[in-house]
Each structure stands twice: as C-alpha cells, then as structure tokens.
Amino acid sequence: MKTIIQWIKDRLGYLKTLFIFSVVIIVIRELLSISKTISTAQLAEIFRTIGFGKIAAMLVIGLISVLPMVGYDIILNRILKQKQKKAFLLETSWMINTINNIAGFGGLVSIGLRSEFYGTKKDGKSVVKALSKILIFLMSGLSIYSLFAFLLVVLGHTNNYLEQYWIWLIGGGLYFPAIMLLSFIRKDEYIGDIDNKTRIQLVLTSFLEWTGVLGSFLVIGFLMDIPMNPLQIIPLFIAASVIGIVSMIPGELGSFDIMMLIGLSALGIKREIGVAWILLYRLFYYIVPFIIGVIFFLKNLSHGLNQRYSGIPRELMTELAHKVAVFLMYFSGIMIILSATIPSAFTQVKWLEKINPLSFHILTQLPAILLGFLLLITGRGIAAKVKRAYWPTLALLTITLAYTFLKDFSWGVLVFLSLLLLIMIFSKKELFREQLVYSWEMVTVDGGIFILLTVLYIVIGVYNLPTFPHHKHHFISFFLFPSEKIWFSGFVGILLVTLFSYLFIRYLEGNRYRIGIPLNSQRVQKLLDTYGGNSDSQLIFLNDKDMYIYTDNTGEDTVLLQFKTLNNKCLVMGNPSGKKEDFAAAIEQFLAETDRYGYIPVFYEVSEEFAMFLHEFGYDFIKMGEEAHGDLVNFTLSGKKMKSERAVMNRFTKAGYQFEVLTPPFSADLLAELKLVSDEWLGSRREKGFSLGFFSEQYLQKGPLALAKDAEGKLAAFANIMPTYTKNEGTIDLMRYRKNVPSGVMDYLFVSLFTYMQEEGFTYFNLGMAPLANVGTSKKSFIQERIAYLVYEFGSRFYSFQGLREYKEKYAAEWIPRYTLYSRDSFIAYVMIALLLVDNAPIEQQPKVHGIRRILRNRYQR
C-alpha cells in the first residue's frame, strides 16, 4: 500500500495534468453535443420575436444565477485559512463553476479544479479535508427543493403525469437530512468536525445556487410569455435535475432535456416552444457564463506563464491580439462596403460568400457604407496604437453588433463581432500612444483602400445610369444595382464618411506634441566640453535641428542627439554625443518617447558599432557609403605616392601663398571677406544644411579657421576646423575658394591642414563621406543596397559620386562604413525621400520642412 501511495506521490504532477486534460476533453465534447442541439436559424427567429430588451434581461438573469456558487470558494478558502484577492477569487470561482456546469459528474470536476487552484500552498491532507466538507453539501439545495416539489405533488398542485416522479423527488429530498445527520454523528476530520456556522453557510450557498438554476429557467419562460403554472414546472424541473445528476451525465445533457420536453408537452406547452425555452436556458445559464469563464481561465493561465517567463507570453499575445484586431477591422470594413457595393456578387461568387464573415443582407445602403468606412477609419487608429481610438472603436463595434442583432440576426455575425469586441478589449494595453502622426505610409495604405473602393462605387454608379448602353457591353451581371436611389444613398454615405474621417483624424492627432527642444548653446557646449563628442557634434550649432538631451539620475546632461522632424520621422544626424556609458539609456529613453508620441526615429550616417546596437531594437539598416580617414601619425610628403602633392606645395610656396589658423572670436572685416569668398564659390547654388555646414557667422565663431592667402595677403580659400571634442580626430566642414585662384588650391589647403593637425597631436583626419561608396557591390547585398549601387554607377551625371571618392582616395588610409537605420514599420522608399528632402533642402527652406505634411492642421506644442 505504501508503495502505491509513493508511486502516486511521485507522479502527482502528471496525474494533475492528466486530470486537467481530461476535463478539457469532456468540456469540448459536451460543447459539441450542446451545439448540435442549438439551431442558429431557430435562435434567430426566437430573438426576432422576443425583442432585445427581454433577451438582455435573460442574459443578466443567467449571469446573476451563477454568482451564488462563489460562496463555496469563499468558505473553502476560509477553512484552508488563506486569503485570496477578491478579483482572483471571483474569476477563479466563476471559471470553476461554469466549467463544472458543462462537465457535470455530480460536482466531482469542481472539486478537482478547486484542489488545483486553491490547494497548491497547502498539504494534500488538509485540502482533502476541506474539499470533502464542500462536496457533501453541494446537493443540499437541490435536496431541499426536492422536498418542496414532493409536497407540491402530494398536495395535488400537479397533474397525473408528474405524480409518477414522486419516487425521485423523495429520493432527492432525503439527501439533505441524511447528510445533516451524518455531519452531526460522524466525528472524523473529513465530515464530522464542521462547525455550525460553516454548515449553515454551505447549505445556504447550495440553496441559493439551485434557486438561481430554477429561477433562471422560470424567468426565461416568463420573458418568453409562455402560459404556465410555476407550481407544476418546479416539480418537473427538480425531478429532471435529480435524474440528470444521478446519471452523472455531463451537464445533465440528454436525460434532462428529454424529460423536460416530454413533461412540458404533458403540461400543454407546445413542443417547439419547449425546445426554444430549453435552448435559451442552455444559452444563458450554461454557454454565456462558460465563455466568460474561459476568458478568466485564459487570463489566469497567461498570468502564470507571465510570472514564469518574465512577461513575454502576455506581450506576445497582446501584440498578436492587436494585429488580429487591426486585420479583422480592415477586413470587415472592406467586406461590408463590397457587400453594399456589389451585393449580388456575394451570392453569385461562392468564394466571396465563404470569406465574408458579415454576410447579412438587411443592412440598407447608407448604414452599410457608413459602417464599412467607419471600421476602416477606426481601424487606422487601432493600427497606430493610439489611446484615443479605443473607446470610439468599442462604441462602433457595439453599435454594429446591436444593429445586426436587431435588424438582421445572424448567429455567425454575432459570434464574429463579439469575438472582435473581446479581442479589442484584450489588446487595450497595446494602445499606448498619446497621438496620431498620420504618416506617408498610413496615407498610402488608407488612401489606396479608400480610393479603390470609392472609384469602384462610382464606376458601378455610372454603369447603372439609364443612358449607359448595357446591351452593347458584355459586363458582369452583379454590377447591376436595384435602383439609382439606393446607389445615391450609398454615395451620400461616402461623403459623410469623408467628413467623419477628417474629424476623427484630427481627434486622434490631438494637440501635436513635438519631440525635442530648440538649440540651447550653453547646455550643449557644457555637455560636449565635459563628456566629448564626435565629428558630427558641431553641426548642432547650425541651429537647423532640434536637440534631445538625456539627463542622468543626478540631473546632469550627459548625452546629446540632434535631429530634424519630417512627417512622423525623427531624422537623427550621426552618432550620439557625450558620455558613452549613458548611450544605451539615452537611446532607450529617446525611442520610448518617440514611440509614445507616434514618431519613428531614423538614424543617419551612424557608425557600424552603433548600427549593431540599434539592430537589437528591431532596426533594419542600409549602408549609405564610407567615410575616408587619413593617417596623420604616418603622414609625409616624401615618397612616390605623394609626388603630385609635393609639386602642388612647392608651386604655391614659390607663388608666395601662406597658410594660417586663426581662433575665434573673428573680426567683422574677416567675416565679411569670408562671405565674399563663400558667395563666389556658391555662385547660383544654394546653401544646404542638416548633415552639411553652411555659411553662418554664428556657426563659424564656434571653431578655428584655416586660411590660405596669396602673396598679396588676399584670402584665396578657407575651411572651418570643426571641434570633434576628442584628442584623436581632426576634421573640417566648409571648404571654399575663389574662382580665379590657381588650380590645386584645395590640395594646398588639405596638405597644410594635415601638417598642422599632425603637429597638434591628432592621429587621423576625417575627410568626410563618400556617398554610396562600396554599397551593394555584392550580389548577396540587400535589394535596397543593390538599387543604391545602380544609383552610384549611373548617377554621376547628376552628382559625381565616383569623382568624390577618387579625390578622397588620394589621402585616405582607411574607409569606415556608415549606415542609415530605420524602423521596420517604415517604408524604405519614404525613409529615403525624407532624408533626401531634409539633406538637400536649401537652407532658407529648412524652417518649412517640419510642416511638409500638414494635411489637417499646423499646430504644435512641446
């Protein structure tokens, strides 16, 4: 015996799993059996005749009737001396009791489930003791009602047919006094040690449970306006329940239904009415509460899995639910519009009829068009994960559900819309964004769908005009409309939806919040002087970009990002600047804030190390080119390779040219002379910004100037030396010269700068980017990079990509790849367009770039 007990203990986990699995199989089997007894067509007809108000009352009564069973679980946990959270207790109790209602087996299933959910923190023996007390009193309420029903039979309140069941009623009635007597006589730990308070509470709970069961059946009958005598229905119902429980058939299915139908017929109630009565009772007392119980079960299951796997399962399920909800809303909207546009197609084309979940026909043209397009519009808000879209979407789905229920009842449609509503509720946590930024990608998708559906509707309207010669054209028959009036009502619907779309998008946008703040030179300069920067850091002082500063726990600024916002894209220029140890935290904070407000960062010309870091956040990347680095440590003009550079230096030295480096502040006269050289160099071209410097006196005052002057002391060329806030890297930004100076002046300036920076202790000189250099040269490269390679090969007529690389090749000792990273939620084509617009916009147009996509309004706040 001890060996058997030990064997059971060793395999207790497997046995519990087997038990749960068995319950699931039993429940599924019984649900399938119940579904065979439910006719959707019959339910539809019943719902049409009864009315929405009475159906709602039946639903409420059914849910209320289940509540008394929570008392069992309250008493059980009190016996076990453990406190549960009220929400957990209610959800678990509801789940256990509704599953038990379906599975049956005289309450044994509920005992097993209670042991699994409440007994994990207690030893097995104490759990068995507590459960045994619950088990023996589960049927005490039915027994009391059996005694009452027996009295009704004896006192002659029933007909001759019901009198034959007196034996079952007396048998069921004897159970209550028997277990009461047993609980007083027995002195063991399982039944005999129940205190009077617990005994009364258990009996009262059971009595209220069976009052709910019987009451729900009677109330449903009253709401159906069935002429009946409750004093005759009660004995029949109780006897049928006793027989069903004794048989231990799950859900009392079969024996209860057959006995009730025969008994109701004997009482003068028509068979079809009796079937409808039982059908509604099954639906509102068993099925609907069970569905809610399944939802609670999935919630508890997900909670357990989340605790075990660090919340990942819930995140995945919530995200999946969100994607399913978006798909279903768009799909439903399109199907509704098509069913209103070409209704005959859904009867003539079988595959269309099968894939249409909303195949109802009573919807008139105007409501159908409205509902379809409104589902698409609200679907956009849900797809964009905007908080504000949640309640309007729930309201729309509820209205659609109610409209379908009242006007054209369809069981499949009700299930579909109810499921969509539940998925929406479940995916609420995915809606975290504070506003909608209506991106080019969204406009493309939504505009394509709207235009396609609207054009289709208009084309069909033209085809249905009386003047259109149908007889001369072979055309699809289901394009024919019943009347012009019906078509016109749908067209009015499209116009109304257009207005609503405008208003709803404005509502979702809210008061547009913009990421970042304008340049604060003092804060930036302090951060760069303290923690350092890179070759792009100085570009922030062009004042054509916003800045995002990360502040650590001590309140000190440690990391700087510079970017420009276009549409929904925050185009970040280069790597972050500042304290490298805080880069990860700064990027996470920046990504979280942009995501919260509906923006998508794009990181432009970043290093390979930073690209790999961002790739962990789900970013794709494309190589944008290579950056040329000249070796200053080993730089020399000697050797065969530098023969031409030596010749240039000798030629300009003999001509009396001089090189000098000046530090700020610069005089107004010098700045005026620099402006003349810059304007001459620009000619008819216009200044550009973002990733390139432009002539700005304020900007030039931020760093040293390298000047090349002729023998007369006249300025021939200049370059501004960009502070990189590092000890190793030297670089320049603007490099401009007069047109009438000898050729080679730029080489003279470059070589002079190399020598100067070598003396200053820099290890390499950053010659800047060669765009699209070595991009997409492999057949295995990304398709985006292969396209970029074609641009590199054949785009020299517009921009000398190859010439720029060949020029820098003379001085480059190493080529460092640079990348652009973009979110997978973006279309790469729109990312490149945004970069092209920002990076190539003339500087006088830079302030206007923010508002290039202001379809609705131009209102920002920070």
Side-chain angles (χ1 to χ4, degrees):
M1 187 66 180
K2 290 182 179 180
T3 306
I4 294 174
I5 294 172
Q6 186 60 42
W7 185 88
I8 293 173
K9 286 182 178 180
D10 293 340
R11 291 160 179 80
L12 192 59
Y14 296 106
L15 293 175
K16 286 182 177 180
T17 304
L18 180 62
F19 168 74
I20 297 295
F21 182 73
S22 301
V23 170
V24 171
I25 296 298
I26 291 168
V27 168
I28 293 173
R29 179 178 176 275
E30 297 317 312
L31 284 174
L32 292 174
S33 299
I34 292 173
S35 66
K36 292 177 182 178
T37 68
I38 297 178
S39 168
T40 55
Q42 191 176 19
L43 269 179
E45 185 60 33
I46 293 169
F47 286 164
R48 286 195 194 98
T49 55
I50 292 176
F52 179 75
K54 290 183 178 181
I55 292 295
M58 291 178 189
L59 174 62
V60 172
I61 291 297
L63 298 178
I64 292 173
S65 299
V66 176
L67 283 175
M69 288 187 279
V70 177
Y72 294 126
D73 301 278
I74 295 173
I75 296 169
L76 175 62
N77 281 279
R78 187 167 55 80
I79 294 173
L80 292 173
K81 297 179 180 180
Q82 57 186 13
K83 291 184 178 180
Q84 305 284 0
K85 292 182 179 179
K86 291 180 180 179
F88 173 79
L89 186 63
L90 176 62
E91 291 174 5
T92 307
S93 176
W94 188 286
M95 175 185 63
I96 290 171
N97 291 307
T98 54
I99 290 175
N100 180 69
N101 285 344
I102 295 289
F105 288 103
L108 293 176
V109 169
S110 69
I111 294 300
L113 291 173
R114 286 188 172 98
S115 173
E116 178 65 24
F117 283 97
Y118 300 128
T120 53
K121 296 181 180 180
K122 295 287 182 178
D123 65 275
K125 189 175 180 180
S126 62
V127 173
V128 171
K129 289 177 184 178
L131 289 172
S132 64
K133 296 175 176 62
I134 302 294
L135 179 62
I136 64 169
F137 282 97
L138 283 176
M139 299 302 162
S140 58
L142 178 61
S143 180
I144 293 171
Y145 272 107
S146 296
L147 290 174
F148 176 69
F150 175 73
L151 290 175
L152 291 176
V153 171
V154 171
L155 295 174
H157 291 286
T158 59
N159 60 14
N160 294 331
Y161 173 80
L162 293 174
E163 290 177 359
Q164 63 180 310
Y165 293 111
W166 70 269
I167 187 66
W168 291 99
L169 295 175
I170 192 64
L174 290 174
Y175 179 82
F176 173 63
I179 60 108
M180 287 294 288
L181 182 62
L182 187 65
S183 67
F184 281 111
I185 294 174
R186 291 286 294 271
K187 301 298 181 183
D188 57 33
E189 297 175 333
Y190 295 92
I191 299 175
D193 64 342
I194 305 176
D195 59 86
N196 289 330
K197 181 181 178 182
T198 302
R199 189 181 287 110
I200 294 170
Q201 287 176 340
L202 285 170
V203 172
L204 181 61
T205 300
S206 181
F207 179 77
L208 290 175
E209 174 197 350
W210 283 98
T211 301
V213 175
L214 176 61
S216 64
F217 185 80
L218 291 174
V219 170
I220 288 172
F222 281 122
L223 291 172
M224 292 176 69
D225 297 323
I226 299 174
M228 62 173 172
N229 182 359
L231 297 180
Q232 292 183 340
I233 299 296
I234 291 172
L236 175 63
F237 185 90
I238 297 300
S241 297
V242 171
I243 293 171
I245 288 173
V246 170
S247 68
M248 295 189 75
I249 296 174
E252 307 164 21
L253 189 63
S255 57
F256 172 86
D257 301 74
I258 292 171
M259 184 175 171
M260 286 299 298
L261 284 174
I262 296 172
L264 290 173
S265 298
L267 294 175
I269 297 173
K270 292 181 180 180
R271 182 178 179 82
E272 58 271 19
I273 295 177
V275 170
W277 191 355
I278 295 172
L279 201 59
L280 291 176
Y281 165 67
R282 288 284 184 193
L283 178 65
F284 292 116
Y285 185 78
Y286 285 92
I287 303 300
V288 174
F290 172 75
I291 292 172
I292 297 172
V294 169
I295 295 171
F296 287 152
F297 173 76
L298 293 175
K299 180 183 176 183
N300 280 283
L301 179 64
S302 67
H303 179 72
L305 290 173
N306 271 299
Q307 287 185 328
R308 186 173 181 179
Y309 297 108
S310 305
I312 294 175
R314 176 167 293 175
E315 290 178 9
L316 293 175
M317 289 303 297
T318 306
E319 184 175 350
L320 177 63
H322 172 258
K323 292 185 182 301
V324 170
V326 171
F327 170 77
L328 291 180
M329 291 193 69
Y330 270 81
F331 181 71
S332 302
I334 292 171
M335 284 295 108
I336 289 177
I337 295 168
L338 289 177
S339 65
T341 305
I342 44 175
S344 298
F346 288 88
T347 56
Q348 295 180 26
V349 183
K350 295 300 179 184
W351 66 269
L352 269 177
E353 185 179 11
K354 289 180 179 179
I355 68 168
N356 183 17
L358 304 171
S359 54
F360 44 96
H361 310 292
I362 200 68
L363 287 177
T364 58
Q365 203 71 9
L366 181 58
I369 294 293
L370 283 172
L371 286 175
F373 276 106
L374 290 179
L375 280 171
L376 293 178
I377 289 297
T378 52
R380 167 48 57 200
I382 298 301
K385 302 182 178 181
V386 181
K387 286 180 183 179
R388 289 177 164 221
Y390 181 70
W391 289 111
T393 303
L394 289 191
L396 178 63
L397 289 175
T398 304
I399 291 169
T400 307
L401 189 63
Y403 189 87
T404 308
F405 187 86
L406 293 171
K407 294 295 182 182
D408 185 33
F409 177 83
S410 169
W411 182 257
V413 174
L414 286 175
V415 170
F416 176 82
L417 290 175
S418 299
L419 180 62
L420 179 54
L421 196 61
L422 288 174
I423 293 174
M424 269 303 311
I425 294 171
F426 183 73
S427 61
K428 182 182 179 182
K429 290 185 178 179
E430 278 291 292
L431 308 181
F432 62 89
R433 295 197 174 110
E434 300 291 339
Q435 64 186 20
L436 172 71
V437 183
Y438 207 35
S439 67
W440 296 332
E441 290 86 347
M442 296 176 188
V443 171
T444 300
V445 173
D446 296 346
I449 294 173
F450 271 64
I451 291 172
L452 182 62
L453 292 174
T454 304
V455 168
L456 175 63
Y457 196 80
I458 293 172
V459 167
I460 291 174
V462 173
Y463 175 73
N464 280 271
L465 288 173
T467 55
F468 191 86
H470 296 95
H471 61 280
K472 294 182 180 180
H473 298 270
H474 178 69
F475 216 59
I476 302 172
S477 61
F478 57 65
F479 274 17
L480 292 174
F481 249 71
S483 71
E484 292 178 57
K485 184 178 179 181
I486 292 178
W487 179 89
F488 183 74
S489 69
F491 186 71
V492 171
I494 293 175
L495 296 179
L496 289 175
V497 167
T498 303
L499 175 61
F500 177 83
S501 302
Y502 172 79
L503 296 174
F504 189 66
I505 293 297
R506 287 194 63 174
Y507 164 74
L508 293 180
E509 281 196 317
N511 295 325
R512 180 66 66 82
Y513 176 89
R514 213 175 92 203
I515 302 296
I517 57 176
L519 173 66
N520 183 321
S521 298
Q522 290 74 25
R523 287 182 69 182
V524 171
Q525 194 66 60
K526 180 182 178 182
L527 185 153
L528 294 174
D529 290 339
T530 304
Y531 295 107
N534 53 57
S535 59
D536 296 319
S537 300
Q538 195 70 3
L539 293 173
I540 187 67
F541 294 110
L542 288 168
N543 201 20
D544 65 340
K545 293 177 281 292
D546 291 324
M547 67 177 195
Y548 184 91
I549 292 185
Y550 172 78
T551 304
D552 64 14
N553 295 331
T554 64
E556 186 175 5
D557 298 338
T558 59
V559 180
L560 166 70
L561 294 172
Q562 52 179 316
F563 65 95
K564 197 165 190 65
T565 303
L566 176 61
N567 190 238
N568 71 325
K569 296 166 182 62
C570 293
L571 305 168
V572 181
M573 180 60 223
N575 287 357
S577 305
K579 188 178 180 181
K580 290 186 176 181
E581 292 80 4
D582 287 354
F583 279 5
I587 293 298
E588 286 189 36
Q589 181 177 289
F590 180 68
L591 293 179
E593 185 170 340
T594 52
D595 198 20
R596 180 184 174 192
Y597 289 102
Y599 295 97
I600 297 179
V602 175
F603 295 86
Y604 182 53
E605 292 187 2
V606 299
S607 65
E608 184 173 350
E609 179 185 4
F610 193 62
M612 293 301 101
F613 170 74
L614 283 171
H615 192 59
E616 294 296 321
F617 289 89
Y619 275 74
D620 281 334
F621 58 88
I622 179 174
K623 186 178 177 183
M624 293 300 290
E626 294 181 336
E627 195 174 71
H629 285 188
D631 183 7
L632 295 179
V633 175
N634 301 307
F635 175 74
T636 178
L637 284 175
S638 61
K640 185 177 180 181
K641 183 180 178 181
M642 302 299 291
K643 180 180 179 181
S644 61
E645 280 69 31
R646 284 199 306 274
V648 168
M649 293 301 293
N650 291 334
R651 178 158 55 90
F652 276 90
T653 301
K654 290 178 181 179
Y657 274 74
Q658 296 178 347
F659 172 81
E660 64 178 317
V661 175
L662 301 179
T663 57
F666 307 119
S667 66
D669 292 339
L670 176 60
L671 290 172
E673 190 176 7
L674 293 172
K675 184 72 166 69
L676 289 174
V677 173
S678 178
D679 290 343
E680 186 177 338
W681 179 83
L682 280 170
S684 60
R685 294 173 295 179
R686 291 182 292 182
E687 293 273 25
K688 298 177 182 180
F690 190 65
S691 66
L692 300 171
F694 53 83
F695 191 92
S696 164
E697 293 184 2
Q698 183 181 358
Y699 177 59
L700 293 177
Q701 291 281 13
K702 288 290 184 179
L705 285 173
L707 308 178
K709 295 182 178 181
D710 60 16
E712 298 174 358
K714 187 178 180 180
L715 184 63
F718 75 92
N720 68 314
I721 299 174
M722 292 178 69
T724 60
Y725 305 95
T726 67
K727 296 179 180 179
N728 300 319
E729 183 179 20
T731 189
I732 60 172
D733 189 8
L734 277 72
M735 194 170 185
R736 299 180 175 180
Y737 57 91
R738 294 183 185 275
K739 287 186 176 181
N740 57 355
V741 295
S743 63
V745 70
M746 300 304 288
D747 288 305
Y748 171 75
L749 196 58
F750 259 127
V751 173
S752 300
L753 278 166
F754 286 172
T755 304
Y756 166 77
M757 289 189 177
Q758 186 182 51
E759 293 171 355
E760 291 293 312
F762 291 101
T763 58
Y764 68 92
F765 185 93
N766 188 336
L767 292 144
M769 278 275 292
L772 304 180
N774 282 336
V775 176
T777 55
S778 170
K779 291 182 179 180
K780 301 296 184 181
S781 298
F782 296 142
I783 185 65
Q784 301 96 319
E785 294 179 348
R786 296 291 289 168
I787 294 171
Y789 174 74
L790 293 177
V791 175
Y792 179 75
E793 286 292 310
F794 303 108
S796 57
R797 69 182 69 180
F798 306 107
Y799 185 87
S800 183
F801 294 114
Q802 296 186 29
L804 183 62
R805 178 178 173 87
E806 288 170 0
Y807 181 81
K808 293 182 178 182
E809 187 74 60
K810 296 189 298 182
Y811 304 106
E814 185 179 13
W815 289 93
I816 306 299
R818 291 287 171 177
Y819 302 89
T820 289
L821 284 98
Y822 58 94
S823 169
R824 292 168 186 170
D825 293 331
S826 299
F827 296 173
I828 181 61
Y830 286 142
V831 170
M832 302 309 293
I833 289 171
L835 289 171
L836 185 67
L837 289 173
V838 168
D839 207 22
N840 290 277
I843 193 59
E844 60 269 17
Q845 294 182 14
Q846 285 287 336
K848 301 177 184 178
V849 170
H850 273 309
I852 206 164
R853 209 296 304 162
R854 295 307 303 141
I855 290 177
L856 303 178
R857 58 183 168 180
N858 198 8
R859 203 170 70 183
Y860 290 92
Q861 70 174 35
R862 292 187 184 276

